[in-house]
Every structure is written in structure tokens, then in C-alpha cells.
Amino acid sequence: AIEVLSEAAAKAPPSTGLKTSLAEFLALRGDLAGAERAIQEARAAGENPARLVPFEADLLFARGNWQKAALLYESAGVETLSRARKERLAAGYFRSGDHRKALAIFRQLAAEAGQPEASAHNNIGVALEAMDSLEAAENEYLRAVKLEPDYADAWFNLGNLAQKKGKLNKAVEYYSRTREIEGSSLDVENAIAAVLMELGRYNEAFQAFINIIQIDSTAGAAYIGAGDAAWELGKIHTAEKYYRNYLDRFSRDEAPARLLKRISEKTISGLKN
């Protein structure tokens, strides 16, 4: 199909927009480099910029060039963009640090939806949180989970927000809800382990670090965390096991000083294994 379309595009006049169509087809196949070449050819041939510009922005967005993508979406005219492209525009603003513009687009999308959407409230909350409007952000996240009780991203964001506000037990509650919905993940286990350590809930923190290691055996910080949690529980041999596992897998030069000090101690009394 690509060969046929390529041959047709080479012969067709610009008004047909076949080079742009070829670029879109290549992008769907995951060939971003090929799509970019086809876009350059379409531009050189004088094909319709109303199709070219937003699609070129899509390619930049896919490459992670958020700021340039946002500028191109803007130049195409925000009012002409599809909903998906407006979402990319907002994400492009957000990731390039322009949180106010991101918030404006997210609010526009929510208004255009016609009815409340959990994802819209979550996105608005993310932008507000980035602007340090924490109470307003929390209200948006709570609206999201009220609309969609199993919306894991909003529960996770509530956990992050609770942690920022120093409400650590509430953060654990929200992170645990995320875990119930989507199962263990590196993001959730890392977040919950950090809060549990801060709360001194070392048994639970130790299990969270084990969960991380089971997901990703190359997560060096989890070996140290498991060792630290075991150490705080007085389980010195278990702590030493995880510390040594870390040293066997990773650079000794990067090991925390406390780890090296602890495994070098020879005599420890009154502690359980």
C-alpha cells in the first residue's frame, strides 16, 4: 500500500494532497522518519498547509519536542484543531513550562465536552498543582474520582498532593487506592515506600521495596530501601543481605555512607534477625 501511495504521490498534483496522505500513513505505521521526509516533500510541492501544519506538529509532539509542537498547533489556529490536537497542545504547553496556557486549554476542553469528565478535572488539577494552587487542584482531583471512582491517575495525584501538604497517612491511603485499582507499579511502590519510611511504618515499607525489586531487579535504590527498612526493624542480617545485594549489582562508589558503615560493623547485640 505504501509503494502504491508513494508512486501515486510522486505523479499527483499538489491539490490532491497525496504526499501529506503518505506522511499520515507512514506515521500510523510508526515510521516517523519516513513521515517527516514525506512532509518535507509535501511542503516543497506546495500541498495544503491547513493539513500539513497540524500534522507536522503531531510529529514534533511524538518526538518530544513539546515547545515547537505547541507553536505549530497555535499557528494552525486553536479553533481549527481537533479535540485530540487540543489535548496535545495543552500537554505541549504544560511540558514546556507554560502552565497557565495549559490550564486555559484544559478548561476549554472541559467546557466543550458538554458534561463533566473525570479526565478533564484531573488535567485541570495537574495544571493547577503545577501553579501551586494546591487546594484548587485537590478539588479537581476529588471531582475526578467522584465521577470515576476507579480513576487511578487521579488517586495517585491526590497522593502526591497529600504528601506535599504533609498529610502522610492520607497520602498512603490514596496511593494504596491506586494500587488496588491498577496493581503494583514502580511509580506507586516508590511513592508509597517513601511515605511509609517517613512515617516509620517499616514493615510495610520493606514490602513495598520488595515489590519494586520484583518489578525491576535493576532498581538499585530499592535494595538500599529494603536494607534501611530492615535495619530500622532491627533485622540486621536481612538488612545486610539487601545491602550486599546492592553492592554485588551496582557501584560501591555510589553506595550511601550509612550502607558501607553498617555492613562493616562486626558486633551488634540485642537485635533480632
Side-chain angles (χ1 to χ4, degrees):
I2 290 176
E3 287 181 8
V4 171
L5 188 54
S6 297
E7 290 175 5
K11 300 173 184 176
S15 59
T16 62
L18 285 185
K19 288 183 173 64
T20 304
S21 297
L22 174 61
E24 291 170 344
F25 192 85
L26 289 166
L28 286 173
R29 291 287 302 273
D31 184 0
L32 297 184
E36 287 170 352
R37 287 193 298 272
I39 278 290
Q40 290 170 3
E41 291 174 4
R43 187 179 292 282
E47 290 193 4
N48 185 1
R51 282 184 67 197
L52 278 173
V53 171
F55 181 65
E56 194 171 7
D58 291 343
L59 293 176
L60 287 167
F61 187 89
R63 292 285 193 190
N65 197 332
W66 321 120
Q67 192 168 24
K68 284 189 177 180
L71 288 172
L72 274 184
Y73 285 132
E74 274 185 351
S75 71
V78 177
E79 68 284 351
T80 69
L81 299 176
S82 66
R83 184 173 181 82
R85 281 175 169 153
K86 285 179 182 175
E87 288 175 348
R88 291 186 203 122
L89 171 59
Y93 283 144
F94 184 86
R95 290 171 177 173
S96 56
D98 199 336
H99 302 134
R100 289 190 181 279
K101 282 188 176 181
L103 178 60
I105 298 297
F106 283 138
R107 282 179 166 158
Q108 180 183 337
L109 285 165
E112 290 173 356
Q115 60 183 11
E117 292 182 344
S119 60
H121 285 295
N122 183 67
N123 289 338
I124 291 169
V126 169
L128 287 166
E129 184 179 348
M131 296 164 61
D132 290 325
S133 298
L134 302 188
E135 296 301 325
E138 183 177 28
N139 288 336
E140 294 297 333
Y141 296 145
L142 289 171
R143 286 173 186 152
V145 296
K146 184 176 180 180
L147 286 167
E148 192 176 323
D150 287 343
Y151 193 4
D153 285 352
W155 285 112
F156 186 78
N157 290 336
L158 280 166
N160 289 341
L161 199 59
Q163 186 179 19
K164 282 183 181 179
K165 294 169 73 174
K167 299 179 179 180
L168 301 185
N169 284 306
K170 203 69 179 174
V172 173
E173 178 187 328
Y174 290 141
Y175 289 141
S176 297
R177 180 72 178 115
T178 309
R179 182 197 271 160
E180 288 172 10
I181 296 166
E182 67 178 14
S184 289
S185 68
L186 287 176
D187 285 344
V188 171
E189 299 300 337
N190 274 307
I192 201 169
V195 178
L196 289 168
M197 286 295 286
E198 198 170 345
L199 285 168
R201 292 164 61 176
Y202 300 120
N203 270 316
E204 295 167 88
F206 178 79
Q207 185 56 56
F209 286 123
I210 298 306
N211 292 344
I212 294 168
I213 292 168
Q214 289 173 344
I215 295 168
D216 181 6
S217 63
T218 68
Y223 291 92
I224 297 172
D228 287 347
W231 186 274
E232 295 294 341
L233 290 165
K235 299 181 178 181
I236 303 307
H237 291 308
T238 300
E240 186 177 7
K241 169 189 167 184
Y242 283 97
Y243 289 152
R244 292 196 180 279
N245 278 339
Y246 173 86
L247 294 175
D248 287 344
R249 290 171 168 80
F250 308 100
S251 170
R252 187 182 186 90
D253 294 337
E254 296 176 5
R258 69 179 182 280
L259 183 158
L260 299 174
K261 181 177 183 295
R262 287 171 178 177
I263 64 172
S264 67
E265 294 177 0
K266 301 299 183 183
T267 306
I268 303 170
S269 61
L271 296 167
K272 58 183 178 296
N273 295 327

